[in-house]
Amino acid sequence: MILSGLLTSVAINFALCIIFFTLYSILRKQPGNYKVYAPRLLAEGIASTRRPRPFHFNRLLPNASWIKNAWHPSEEQLLSYSGLDAVVFMRIIIFSFKVFTIAGFIGIFILVPVNCSGNQLQDVDFINLTNNTLEVFSISNVNNGSTSLWIHLGAVYFVTFIVCCLLFSEYKYISLKRIDYFCSSKPQPHQFTILVSNIPVPKGSNVGNSVENFFTQNHPATYLSHVVVHRKSKVWTVANAVKKLYKKIFKVRKVPTQQLFMHDGLLDDSKVKVKKDKSREMYSNGDIQKSPTDSKFCKLPLTALTEYKRKYLIASVSSADVAWLNISTPLYTGYFWIRLLIQKSQTEPRICYVSLTALIEYNRKYLTAEIMIITLVKEVRAAFVSFNSRYGAAIALHMLQSNNPTEWRTEQAPEPQDVYWPFFSSTFMRRWISRLVIIVSCATLTILFLIPVFIVQGLTNLAQLEIYFPALKNILTMSIVSQVITGYLPNLILQMSLKIVPPIMKLLSSQQGYICTSDIERSACHKVIWFTVWNVFFANVLSASAVSLLFILLEIKDIPSRLAVSVPAQASFFIAYVVTLGWTSTSSELFRVVPFIGSLICKPFSRNSDDVTVPSFPYHKDIPKILFFGLLGFTYFFLAPLIIPFLLVYFALAYIIYRNQLLYVYAPKYESGGKFWPVVHDSTIFSLVLMQFIAFGIFKLKKLPYATSVTLPLPIITLLFNEYCRKRFLPIFMAYSTETLRKKDSEDQNLPEMPRLLRQISTAYQDPALVPLSYSSNHSSLREPLIPTAEVRG
Amino acid sequence: MILSGLLTSVAINFALCIIFFTLYSILRKQPGNYKVYAPRLLAEGIASTRRPRPFHFNRLLPNASWIKNAWHPSEEQLLSYSGLDAVVFMRIIIFSFKVFTIAGFIGIFILVPVNCSGNQLQDVDFINLTNNTLEVFSISNVNNGSTSLWIHLGAVYFVTFIVCCLLFSEYKYISLKRIDYFCSSKPQPHQFTILVSNIPVPKGSNVGNSVENFFTQNHPATYLSHVVVHRKSKVWTVANAVKKLYKKIFKVRKVPTQQLFMHDGLLDDSKVKVKKDKSREMYSNGDIQKSPTDSKFCKLPLTALTEYKRKYLIASVSSADVAWLNISTPLYTGYFWIRLLIQKSQTEPRICYVSLTALIEYNRKYLTAEIMIITLVKEVRAAFVSFNSRYGAAIALHMLQSNNPTEWRTEQAPEPQDVYWPFFSSTFMRRWISRLVIIVSCATLTILFLIPVFIVQGLTNLAQLEIYFPALKNILTMSIVSQVITGYLPNLILQMSLKIVPPIMKLLSSQQGYICTSDIERSACHKVIWFTVWNVFFANVLSASAVSLLFILLEIKDIPSRLAVSVPAQASFFIAYVVTLGWTSTSSELFRVVPFIGSLICKPFSRNSDDVTVPSFPYHKDIPKILFFGLLGFTYFFLAPLIIPFLLVYFALAYIIYRNQLLYVYAPKYESGGKFWPVVHDSTIFSLVLMQFIAFGIFKLKKLPYATSVTLPLPIITLLFNEYCRKRFLPIFMAYSTETLRKKDSEDQNLPEMPRLLRQISTAYQDPALVPLSYSSNHSSLREPLIPTAEVRG
């Protein structure tokens, strides 16, 4: 990339950032945009689109007050408001900022003068010298064998030392935070629960009995209750479809006095009895509940259900558009979903007779009925097993339960709202195989993805473009076009194609057998990191063809030298990358381009404007981005230190913008308790070692054999340090200690809410697809999927 | 190696085997040799060297009755007599025999005719064709591109399949055996105990209090007692030196009426009181116990110790040669060992006054006194913590105890007689660093050891030898000399130098931080396997120089082809290796050459012939040997199947000989419960994958591209199978399940001996160096280092 191209790119992106900031500071103040820029405040009732606000001229002026608002809250406030994961995310940015302030200081004030004092590039007929004016500031300009290279070596040692110290203190800080957070949390169902899978079922028994027997026998003092998981991906899909349909009709038809009816879904034999009685009472009362407008799905009792028999269900549908009947036979052989689409609104009650196998239409003229029968919802050989103490649950979790280790496998139960219901594979083997298949597909995707990257790479090279498209020659010779093409376009295309990667990786991870969203996102985070390192860093640096890249990496010996040659040459490309994917992409995150445009388009059609969807933070998308910028920083700080100021601007922007978004836009969907930090630690260690290998290659290339051998201990020390950290801190992120659990258990023993919580644990882990929508408001807080209340979160 | 050289080697070794067998069958019947050939029977009192046996002419005739005796006992009998480890060892041999019977059948009856039908070696000017007549039977003789190579591919697939099936069933069988063995075992101290290390000690407290507080707080229901470990390597050394000295004087001076005196060592404050009272009683009685001749160390009360004060110890030494006084102050600040060397035997009692800091010699004429003061035996931050149930101990073992994972580290306590006392490093860091250092030294040793191997390799090549030693030319041309040099000598030298490897590896492992002998031997076993594979297989096959070998292995792509070229060429070398290191070495194991010669030399000097040392089985020496022969079998069965019959003879010999030795010679020193099997499994999988890689190389070399690609899935399937086995079986070898522990605990609850056992647990884990030698016979069975009684072992 030529220097002017780089400057164009920086200029375009800088302008874009300014535009985004200005627009944001104006648009955020308009109540009509609250849904886009402060959905969380809306959902929590702090802001309202309805409340009339006096118009003021200030609302049309851009200002920076939002920066103050985002800066202001302390870490404790952020912790209590957005959870530990958000704090950990912000710590990644702070950590990067600290590291690169130090590294940047060394780079700009020590290494750049040293680099400029060399004259290697004037002596040698360097490739593309005229176009690579930035290289004068890079290590390539230092003379071969020059003793000033020892300064670079010193810088590498110093930064390694600083980073290790910071990593250690950060790991320590976050692990303490994690323990504190656990200790200060209110009792929650998942703390007392484990998920047991691969439950062996003896002949003539069922999963429930098997679990009951096993745990009463082996954990008699601590075992509390269990919920058997059902294979219900089909039910899930249908239930979702029905819900969507319901929502659509409900909104479009706008019948303000409508009375919609829905019967409780029945989950368990024991509950069938209870519910039956309850429903009878309800139906005999015959009261019609109006659907409250503020709740997402209204409470829908079947008002005039006069008879509930084994074979016939008689429902009266009064002045309703649509009704769903979810009927479960007491025999528990299956669930029958019956969707009644009533095409004309009725003024008087009609009665339809519904048998369990066929719907008899009472009045063909007014009623079109469809029956969707989901036969035999089978028990999966998995169950959520709850204990009366956290310590009891931890014991069952960590001990080998059975003589066959593939049976009675235990894992920590996720938070109820974090459970990923669609995937409950039944056997150990199937889960294991799906994991292998996904790993292979992920590797394949990573390798195949190189193709668009090379197209992008080709675009940065004008000469190649002219060869492939000779017709464009005239246009390409125009200076502004060539600058846009070489400087801005490639990164834009790369950015667009990289945008689809996190969702794909999340999709792949969700098929890997994880049972909760947090695990899926953490696994996707891993995948995206390696994907980015491979496809953006290695592919660009080595600029090799897709297939040959693999072979290059097989020749282990040559890697450092190859990297040493190629990495400095790509400095300007990566500066452009930082400004495009760092600056602009982060600013567009603030401006929320896609949701904003979406809201503009939808506004004329949507009337019920109180229906706010609060998004959850996409950790698997943003953590890899920050970590990759860290990797760029580490590898370039001693090669081409000019990249560091751009990075520092990025981290400063990211700090303010992400803080703002965490406070106003995103609500936590789950709380992993800082489990993202080990990913960050490992990836930083990888970046350090990569930096050291490149240094090794550079010193070899620059013919400084002593410095080469002095570099060798560095990766060994770094890896040993990592190994120590793994032993010292990683177990804390895997499990809570006996000490902590005992303390917490004894503290909570006398809490007044404990008995109620323990009673409710079993209901917390029922599949939302099978849970009646008209659940009592008491329990709903435990299952509410999007916005957990502050009391529950602690 | 030329064919005649190979034949010479086979002949020599066959002759040696016959000689060893004949000699053994005669010598074993002479009561004078019982100490060498049946030490275990002697120690258990089943046989005796003293009991006169009527002389019979049969005693001088060789016969094979010992084979019948060794063959006869069932696996259950072997299990109850020598423990599960011995059974697992025998299963390795049986497994190998089964596998190579099948592989040999395929090799000899299918592959050899196919190989012979080819004429590749006649077409091509093959290197050393005349000398490599064996190669006609090998895969090298099959024509390039010949479709008959598909038969070889089929054989590789079939054998992989058979081996995986056998491995699976064997893993299952042994894991069930392990659980059964645990379930049928009598309660033993180590089942209730864990070792806790890195105990943090608050200021003003000590380790004991810290442990007491932590476990009463966190495991109140299950915690029983603890024993703090002391850093006592010095004490250990001195105590051993004193014991040896005692033994020497005791034996050499032969004073039948001697009265030796030894005072109890005191270990703990609580015990000080008890012991003091006890000793007072004993001393006031003034009875003199005669040392019983049959025990190893006699019971030595201080007969006339008239006063036991804080500052002075008054001991009367009556007609004794030597006395050790082990005095502990009640203040528990240190131990004082006082060695009194009385140079003249006394006819009347003398009294010496001993202060705690200096020994005042009462009678300079008769007494030379030395004081060895071992100051301040320090507490190590480690303790054996016992629980009242196995399940309680397992919980404490598997749960993370502390918020700092480097503190309160837990591991399963070894059997008391298995504890490796000398190494109790105090800190987590030190133990970790020593482990790293040992791994590095081990790798260095493995690489440096190549030098003698290449000398050996050079010797098999007559032409090279003539170049280096032109003076020897005349001798070397003699056919018998050249045959001995090429056929027998190289393997003999290799064998001799390999002999020193297992002890070195054991020494290295003992410095690695393991706390029990069984772990040390298992770790040494691993080291010896990789050492052998590297130094015998790869170095010989690739016949590369020590340094270049490393670089060869870095070029991953080329390894299969290189191996494909080199492995078949070394077939005759490895046949010679099998007969030398397999046949002869195993026969000499039966004959016990070194102990036999040792006993011949010592016989004239030793009088007290009842002192029998029963050796323990050197698993770390013999398991790698068998596994390496397995590796040879796998890699050669389809390349040069002629090696298989030699291997089968070896396995048959090994089966009978090792059974015999396990029954008559070796006594188990510890019981790891079959933990050696995972090592065997892993190494077999490695051999399989190596075989598949060589097959891949061969098919590439033989220009059969389809077969090459058909081979590729094999290693993947094998590794997946291995991964499945790791998940399915390995956890069983790491921990016992809740199920098993609960069952066992509830079964044992009402055993009459349980209360006594639980009381005695704490005494079981006292360092033998600090335990009084005159311990009551009641307790000695728990600590007896060599021959555990049948009741305890169960």
Side-chain angles (χ1 to χ4, degrees), chain A residues 123 133-134 147-148 222 245 317 354 694 725 746 783:
Chain A
D123 295 353
T133 41
L134 274 187
T147 50
S148 60
T222 52
L245 190 75
V317 181
V354 186
I694 293 174
C725 285
S746 66
R783 184 174 321 97

Side-chain angles (χ1 to χ4, degrees), chain B residues 642-695:
Chain B
L642 281 191
I643 203 174
I644 303 285
F646 295 96
L647 274 178
L648 284 178
V649 171
Y650 163 72
F651 287 125
L653 278 181
Y655 182 77
I656 283 298
I657 289 173
Y658 283 119
R659 249 176 173 253
N660 185 67
Q661 302 304 81
L662 284 170
L663 292 171
Y664 295 103
V665 178
Y666 300 114
K669 194 173 166 189
Y670 55 78
E671 176 57 60
S672 78
K675 276 193 178 180
F676 280 103
W677 188 260
V679 182
V680 177
H681 181 89
D682 288 349
S683 128
T684 309
I685 291 286
F686 173 80
S687 307
L688 270 185
V689 172
L690 184 67
M691 166 185 96
Q692 292 154 359
F693 269 103
I694 294 173

Side-chain angles (χ1 to χ4, degrees), chain B residues 341-518:
Chain B
L341 281 179
I342 303 161
Q343 289 175 321
K344 252 189 176 175
S345 86
Q346 306 286 317
T347 48
E348 50 192 283
R350 301 269 152 194
I351 295 167
C352 55
Y353 291 89
V354 185
S355 94
L356 283 178
T357 44
L359 177 74
I360 302 158
E361 291 170 34
Y362 181 65
N363 192 332
R364 187 174 288 269
K365 204 172 165 192
Y366 296 106
L367 205 67
T368 307
E370 283 176 272
I371 305 177
M372 287 185 286
I373 298 176
I374 299 123
T375 46
L376 292 171
V377 171
K378 255 170 78 182
E379 285 184 328
V380 172
R381 297 196 303 144
F384 287 98
V385 179
S386 304
F387 297 83
N388 58 18
S389 68
R390 293 173 185 85
Y391 185 61
I395 289 173
L397 174 65
H398 294 295
M399 296 279 291
L400 181 65
Q401 292 298 321
S402 153
N403 284 335
N404 180 344
T406 60
E407 287 175 354
W408 297 106
R409 291 184 74 84
T410 54
E411 52 197 305
Q412 181 68 54
E415 293 169 290
Q417 75 275 12
D418 188 19
V419 180
Y420 182 71
W421 291 101
F423 197 91
F424 267 97
S425 174
S426 51
T427 65
F428 169 77
M429 273 298 262
R430 213 182 111 189
R431 208 166 150 177
W432 187 61
I433 289 172
S434 64
R435 179 168 294 226
L436 289 172
V437 169
I438 293 298
I439 290 170
V440 172
S441 355
C442 183
T444 316
L445 174 75
T446 306
I447 290 165
L448 283 184
F449 193 84
L450 283 172
I451 296 159
V453 174
F454 286 120
I455 295 173
V456 171
Q457 193 62 24
L459 285 178
T460 63
N461 200 330
L462 272 185
Q464 271 190 23
L465 211 62
E466 282 176 21
I467 294 164
Y468 291 126
F469 304 100
L472 293 178
K473 205 167 184 179
N474 288 331
I475 303 171
L476 289 176
T477 45
M478 285 165 63
S479 116
I480 179 78
V481 171
S482 79
Q483 278 163 25
V484 168
I485 285 179
T486 60
Y488 185 65
L489 207 60
N491 272 311
L492 193 71
I493 296 170
L494 188 63
Q495 185 184 354
M496 290 299 156
S497 50
L498 285 176
K499 272 251 189 289
I500 60 165
V501 173
I504 293 176
M505 291 303 181
K506 191 173 172 183
L507 188 75
L508 286 176
S509 293
S510 72
Q511 297 305 310
Q512 211 172 328
Y514 293 111
I515 49 126
C516 57
T517 322
S518 57

Side-chain angles (χ1 to χ4, degrees), chain A residues 452-525:
Chain A
V453 173
F454 285 120
I455 295 172
V456 170
Q457 191 63 25
L459 285 178
T460 63
N461 200 331
L462 271 185
Q464 270 189 24
L465 211 60
E466 283 176 21
I467 295 165
Y468 291 125
F469 305 100
L472 296 177
K473 208 167 181 178
N474 288 330
I475 304 171
L476 290 177
T477 45
M478 284 164 65
S479 120
I480 179 75
V481 171
S482 80
Q483 276 163 26
V484 168
I485 284 180
T486 60
Y488 185 64
L489 206 60
N491 272 312
L492 193 71
I493 295 171
L494 189 61
Q495 186 184 353
M496 290 299 155
S497 50
L498 284 177
K499 271 254 190 289
I500 60 164
V501 172
I504 292 177
M505 291 301 181
K506 191 174 172 186
L507 188 76
L508 285 177
S509 292
S510 71
Q511 296 307 310
Q512 210 171 328
Y514 292 111
I515 48 125
C516 56
T517 322
S518 58
D519 281 350
I520 291 173
E521 292 205 349
R522 207 157 52 250
S523 164
C525 186

Side-chain angles (χ1 to χ4, degrees), chain B residues 1 3 5-7 9-10 13 134 137 487 491 568 570-583 629 632 636 640-647 650:
Chain B
M1 185 192 289
L3 184 62
L6 174 64
L7 289 180
S9 173
V10 173
N13 285 292
L134 273 188
F137 302 102
N491 272 311
Q570 292 289 333
S572 50
F573 172 80
F574 282 116
I575 293 178
Y577 183 87
V578 170
V579 293
T580 315
L581 257 110
W583 296 8
F629 287 124
L632 287 184
Y636 277 101
L642 281 191
I643 203 174
I644 303 285
F646 295 96
L647 274 178
Y650 163 72

Side-chain angles (χ1 to χ4, degrees), chain A residues 218-219 391 395 400-405 432 436 555 557 720 727-728 732 737-740 742, chain B residues 218-219 391 395 400-405 428 432 436 555 557 720 727-728 732 737-740 742:
Chain A
N218 291 315
H219 302 270
Y391 185 62
I395 288 174
L400 180 67
Q401 292 298 322
S402 151
N403 284 335
N404 181 344
W432 186 61
L436 289 172
E555 310 261 330
K557 286 185 293 183
L720 284 181
K727 284 192 191 297
R728 171 68 182 80
I732 301 173
S737 69
T738 303
E739 213 173 23
T740 309
R742 281 282 191 189
Chain B
N218 291 315
H219 302 269
Y391 185 61
I395 289 173
L400 181 65
Q401 292 298 321
S402 153
N403 284 335
N404 180 344
F428 169 77
W432 187 61
L436 289 172
E555 311 262 330
K557 287 185 292 183
L720 284 182
K727 285 194 191 295
R728 171 67 183 81
I732 301 173
S737 70
T738 303
E739 213 175 24
T740 309
R742 281 281 190 191

